[in-house]
């Protein structure tokens, strides 16, 4: 940190707002997170030879940047990060990161907009970018579990209650079956690590559910599931598989999926109580948000605090980019089959 900083690094929201209100301090904090060794690297060409420029805008504000001698271009601390092309200052960005990383039930775009003094649509776009940072490639190449490890696998259905729908929508939904208006999320919990992985899946077929377990759990692990048909036949060949029949009991010794049920309750509490309405094509980001908070409750035996979760999120901003056109499905991205903005109805 810069030697001129007299305030200690923040531990609470109040301290964070005071700390990052100083643009120079916010800049130095972000700089240390991006280049911990103090060696500034050009994000475009990876060259280390550059010079620092502290320019002034027409409005008299300071604009800190570097000039790279290799590619002959200027770059700021926001280039190649989730902040790229954002006119929002780092002080507001860091407050948004702090709030979302530590609010157990999340924070709505309306609430964040009022807190930061920005429009609701700007706040919504900011929150979606923070969620993009929180995503740790939920189902990545590394596997959890192993010999002697206990793993839970379960799925849940997210969507509106049919009886609360408008008559026209209710008739349409009921005609599709009890779960056709729902979005399916599958989760896997490593009991030893207390780490969850969760992702949106297209269906609950045997192939879909078991493939996610095969990709993410080491062979030889003990896998507990409920009696869903999708987990029948196949898992026994690579795992020690045991089933709890919820129509008879929820727990049979060590055989249960209550750890995943706990995670589902946290996820749905935020969806129903804070976000209220989430479009299916945005749901994966809200799942990533809850996974991040759940997985950053502890680091081994050490309980993580708000400052730890904030730093963990901020440390992942590099290499992430989410444009508004990609977010709303208005680009050629194959990940969007439709358009919409969830909470936000007006483009930023």
């Amino acid at each position: 940190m810069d030697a001129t900083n007299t305030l200690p690094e923040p531990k609470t929201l109040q301290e964070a707002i005071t700390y990052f209100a100083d643009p120079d301090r916010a800049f130095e904090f972000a700089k240390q997170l991006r280049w911990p060794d103090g060696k500034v690297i050009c994000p475009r060409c990876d060259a280390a030879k550059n010079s620092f420029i502290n320019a002034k805008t027409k409005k008299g504000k300071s604009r800190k940047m570097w000039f790279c001698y290799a590619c002959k271009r200027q770059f700021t601390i926001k280039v190649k990060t989730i902040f790229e092309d954002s006119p929002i200052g780092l002080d507001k960005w860091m407050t948004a990161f702090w709030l979302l990383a530590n609010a157990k039930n999340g924070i709505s775009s309306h609430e964040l907009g009022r807190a930061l003094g920005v429009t609701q649509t700007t706040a919504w776009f900011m929150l979606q970018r923070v969620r993009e940072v929180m995503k740790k490639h939920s189902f990545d190449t590394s596997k959890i579990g192993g010999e002697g490890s206990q793993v839970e696998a379960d799925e849940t259905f997210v969507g509106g209650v049919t009886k609360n729908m408008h008559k026209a929508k209710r008739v349409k939904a009921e005609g599709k079956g009890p779960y056709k208006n729902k979005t399916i999320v599958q989760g896997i919990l490593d009991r030893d690590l207390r780490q969850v992985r969760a992702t949106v899946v297209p269906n609950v077929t045997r192939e879909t559910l078991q493939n996610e377990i095969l990709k993410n759990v080491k062979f030889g692990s003990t896998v507990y599931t409920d009696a869903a048909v999708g987990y029948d036949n196949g898992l026994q060949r690579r795992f020690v598989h045991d089933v709890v029949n919820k129509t008879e009991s929820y727990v049979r010794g060590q055989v249960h999926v209550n750890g995943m049920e706990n995670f589902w309750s946290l996820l749905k509490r935020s969806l129903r109580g804070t976000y209220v309405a989430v479009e299916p094509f945005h749901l994966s980001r809200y799942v990533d948000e809850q996974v991040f908070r759940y997985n950053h409750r502890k680091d081994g035996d050490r309980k993580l605090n708000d400052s730890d979760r904030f730093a963990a999120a901020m440390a992942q901003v590099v290499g992430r980019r989410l444009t508004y056109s990609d977010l709303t499905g208005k680009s050629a991205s194959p990940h969007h089959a439709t358009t919409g903005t969830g909470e936000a109805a007006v483009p930023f």
Side-chain angles (χ1 to χ4, degrees), residues 89-103:
L90 285 175
D91 57 337
K92 292 185 177 181
W93 269 113
M94 290 182 175
T95 302
F97 266 81
W98 190 286
L99 287 169
L100 194 62
N102 295 303

Side-chain angles (χ1 to χ4, degrees), residues 104-105 152-156 187-191 194-196 198 246 250-251 256-272 290-291 293-295 297:
K104 187 173 183 179
N105 294 326
E152 298 176 22
D154 194 30
E155 72 289 333
T156 192
I188 300 173
L189 167 68
D190 187 318
R191 289 185 182 175
R194 299 304 300 170
Q195 297 283 300
V196 162
K246 294 179 181 178
Y250 285 93
V251 179
H256 61 81
V257 290
N258 287 349
M260 279 309 310
E261 293 289 357
N262 172 51
F263 177 78
W264 298 141
S265 69
L266 294 173
L267 173 64
K268 292 186 177 181
R269 191 179 303 159
S270 66
L271 294 177
R272 292 170 181 166
Q290 193 64 52
V291 167
R293 283 197 295 266
Y294 188 94
N295 289 346
R297 297 175 303 166

